[in-house]
């Protein structure tokens, strides 16, 4: 995973929908079983804003922006089902969002505005990464082993994540929808 550089007076952050229990821990364990070194550093999630660097002094404005976005959106059902891949463009295998795509797209669009406006490297495609930058054999294994994954849950919030110096992504603040 390529991370944007940052200076001492900046923070590296992301915005995502965390995958709840028991599904999140199951996906994290699966990612670990494939040998993905990022499995313990990145909790299972659907990204709304990937790794982004901003001045630490902007955190209050960022949180106000995210709170305003959250209030404008109602909770929704997310259904995760089956696997997909971005290969050959990117060595990633993921669990697919089968329901809740439009809600994720609207959230992503609003999160990625104003103070958090960022150019996209790729078109937005909500998903949960389960294997990243591994051998083709391990990516194939992840694709096959989680091909029948099926989970349905209510999304009632999203979170601002902070990227620690230890490489761990931690939820810093939760924003309730509605």
């Amino acid at each position: 995973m390529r991370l944007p550089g940052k200076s001492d007076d900046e923070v590296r952050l992301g915005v995502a929908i965390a995958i709840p229990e028991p599904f999140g821990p199951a996906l994290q364990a699966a990612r670990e079983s494939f040998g993905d070194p990022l499995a313990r550093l990145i909790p299972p999630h659907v990204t709304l804003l990937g790794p982004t660097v901003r001045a630490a002094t902007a955190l209050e404005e960022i949180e106000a922006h995210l709170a305003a976005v959250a209030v404008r959106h109602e909770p929704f059902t997310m259904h995760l089902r089956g696997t997909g891949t971005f290969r050959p463009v990117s060595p990633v295998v993921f669990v697919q969002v089968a329901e809740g795509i439009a809600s994720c797209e609207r959230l992503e669009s609003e999160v990625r505005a104003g103070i958090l406006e960022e150019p996209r490297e790729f078109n937005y495609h909500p998903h949960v990464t389960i294997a990243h930058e591994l051998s083709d054999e391990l990516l194939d294994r992840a694709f096959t082993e989680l091909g029948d994954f099926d989970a349905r849950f209510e999304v009632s919030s999203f979170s601002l994540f902070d990227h620690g110096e230890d490489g761990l992504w931690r939820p810093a603040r939760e924003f309730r929808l509605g």
Side-chain angles (χ1 to χ4, degrees), residues 125-136:
H125 180 84
H127 65 281
V128 181
T129 298
I130 54 169
H132 185 224
E133 295 184 354
L134 301 175
S135 69
D136 282 339

Side-chain angles (χ1 to χ4, degrees), residues 3-20:
L3 293 173
K6 72 175 195 71
S7 64
D8 289 342
D9 60 346
E10 293 178 315
V11 292
R12 188 177 298 117
L13 53 89
V15 179
I17 298 167
I19 306 303

Side-chain angles (χ1 to χ4, degrees), residues 2-3 21 30 74 78 83 91 94 102 138 140 150 162 169 171:
R2 293 184 320 238
L3 293 173
E21 292 187 7
E74 292 301 316
M78 182 173 286
T83 52
F94 55 86
L138 289 171
D140 290 344
D150 196 321
D162 176 64
W169 284 96

Side-chain angles (χ1 to χ4, degrees), residues 11-142:
V11 292
R12 188 177 298 117
L13 53 89
V15 179
I17 298 167
I19 306 303
E21 292 187 7
F23 313 115
L27 290 173
Q28 189 161 16
R31 189 170 181 174
E32 284 183 43
S33 79
F34 305 134
D36 191 323
L38 299 176
R40 291 195 172 145
L41 300 174
I42 306 171
H45 66 280
V46 173
T47 301
L48 298 175
L49 177 71
T52 301
V53 172
R54 292 292 184 271
T57 57
L59 275 176
E60 189 174 314
E61 185 180 350
I62 290 167
E63 289 182 357
H65 166 68
L66 294 174
V69 170
V71 167
R72 292 191 296 267
H73 294 267
E74 292 301 316
F76 61 96
T77 299
M78 182 173 286
H79 185 190
L80 303 176
R81 183 180 60 218
T83 52
T85 184
F86 293 130
R87 292 188 287 175
V89 175
S90 181
V92 173
V93 172
F94 55 86
V95 168
Q96 298 189 73
V97 175
E99 181 182 351
I101 294 170
S103 295
C104 289
E105 289 174 337
R106 286 189 297 272
L107 277 171
E108 184 267 351
S109 178
E110 287 192 40
V111 163
R112 189 184 282 275
I115 190 165
L116 291 177
E117 187 170 351
E118 284 282 311
R120 289 178 187 86
E121 186 176 351
F122 300 104
N123 289 331
Y124 180 66
H125 180 84
H127 65 281
V128 181
T129 298
I130 54 169
H132 185 224
E133 295 184 354
L134 301 175
S135 69
D136 282 339
E137 178 183 314
L138 289 171
L139 291 171
D140 290 344
R141 185 176 142 218

